[in-house]
Amino acid sequence: MVTVETEVLIKAPIEICFDFARNIEVHTQTVWQHTKERAIEGITESMIGEGESVTFQATHFFIRQKLTSQITAYRRPYYFIDEMRKGAFKSLRHEHIFEEQNGMTLMKDRLAFEAPFGIIGRITERMILKRYMKRFLEHRNYQLKLRITEEYKKNEGKIKR
């Protein structure tokens, strides 16, 4: 199993960051465009909540894949956890953690995953997937930060969620 961690500081209140991070439409707009990721089942619009699930379809490594995840832990606005229920990984758990810091929000991600196929999967995790998944999260978080900051400034601190 491999764990990837990222952090980003956002100049916006914790509640705003939390809600943007769990918004399915925002998610599909802030990931790598070349993956053509979209929500196809479950909660496909608006914000996902406790116990709810979503299935995303995307292309990674030239292969179209589906991944179904469910929100298994939820405490607004401090954290939510989604876990893979069906998909290409042997297991995948994504913790989204939010902390207030001097009027800003520190958004942390902790992604733990395990590839299938035994020793070949473990080698792939370390040689390819760890770096790929970290870059994926960093890109998404940077895009999310830009989106939140832009909306927050434009609406003078009042964002429609």
Side-chain angles (χ1 to χ4, degrees):
M1 182 171 288
V2 171
T3 301
V4 173
E5 296 183 7
T6 63
E7 292 185 354
V8 63
L9 192 60
I10 303 172
K11 288 179 95 171
I14 191 170
E15 294 86 359
I16 301 298
C17 296
F18 183 87
D19 287 344
F20 265 73
R22 65 189 183 95
N23 186 303
I24 300 299
E25 294 152 308
V26 170
H27 174 84
T28 59
Q29 295 165 4
T30 56
V31 295
W32 286 330
Q33 293 303 305
H34 71 273
T35 65
K36 296 181 174 75
E37 187 164 328
R38 61 192 183 100
I40 60 169
E41 291 177 22
I43 304 300
T44 60
E45 299 176 335
S46 192
M47 290 177 266
I48 194 164
E50 185 172 13
E52 296 178 325
S53 62
V54 59
T55 300
F56 289 106
Q57 179 176 287
T59 302
H60 295 278
F61 302 108
F62 305 106
I63 301 167
R64 182 178 288 169
Q65 303 174 34
K66 291 181 183 177
L67 183 135
T68 301
S69 65
Q70 180 179 26
I71 304 299
T72 58
Y74 180 94
R75 184 168 170 232
R76 185 178 190 273
Y78 303 106
Y79 68 86
F80 66 95
I81 299 171
D82 63 87
E83 296 186 65
M84 185 190 78
R85 294 296 182 231
K86 191 172 171 186
F89 291 95
K90 185 174 179 181
S91 68
L92 185 142
R93 175 184 166 99
H94 187 177
E95 299 175 27
H96 308 258
I97 302 157
F98 303 83
E99 298 174 3
E100 290 182 281
Q101 291 194 350
N102 300 318
M104 298 192 297
T105 302
L106 180 62
M107 186 175 77
K108 299 179 183 181
D109 285 279
R110 185 178 301 123
L111 180 69
F113 60 90
E114 187 175 2
F117 309 121
I119 188 74
I120 293 170
R122 286 191 292 281
I123 292 168
T124 303
E125 287 171 0
R126 285 153 181 83
M127 294 185 70
I128 299 168
L129 291 175
K130 184 173 185 175
R131 183 170 169 254
Y132 182 84
M133 297 303 281
K134 185 164 180 110
R135 287 179 49 232
F136 184 83
L137 284 177
E138 288 172 340
H139 173 82
R140 195 243 176 201
N141 290 345
Y142 178 73
Q143 294 300 315
L144 188 60
K145 176 180 179 170
L146 290 178
R147 179 93 178 252
I148 291 169
T149 304
E150 178 183 302
E151 289 290 319
Y152 194 65
K153 282 181 182 177
K154 183 169 66 175
N155 294 299
E156 297 177 17
K158 296 176 184 169
I159 298 181
K160 293 180 183 176
R161 289 176 257 155

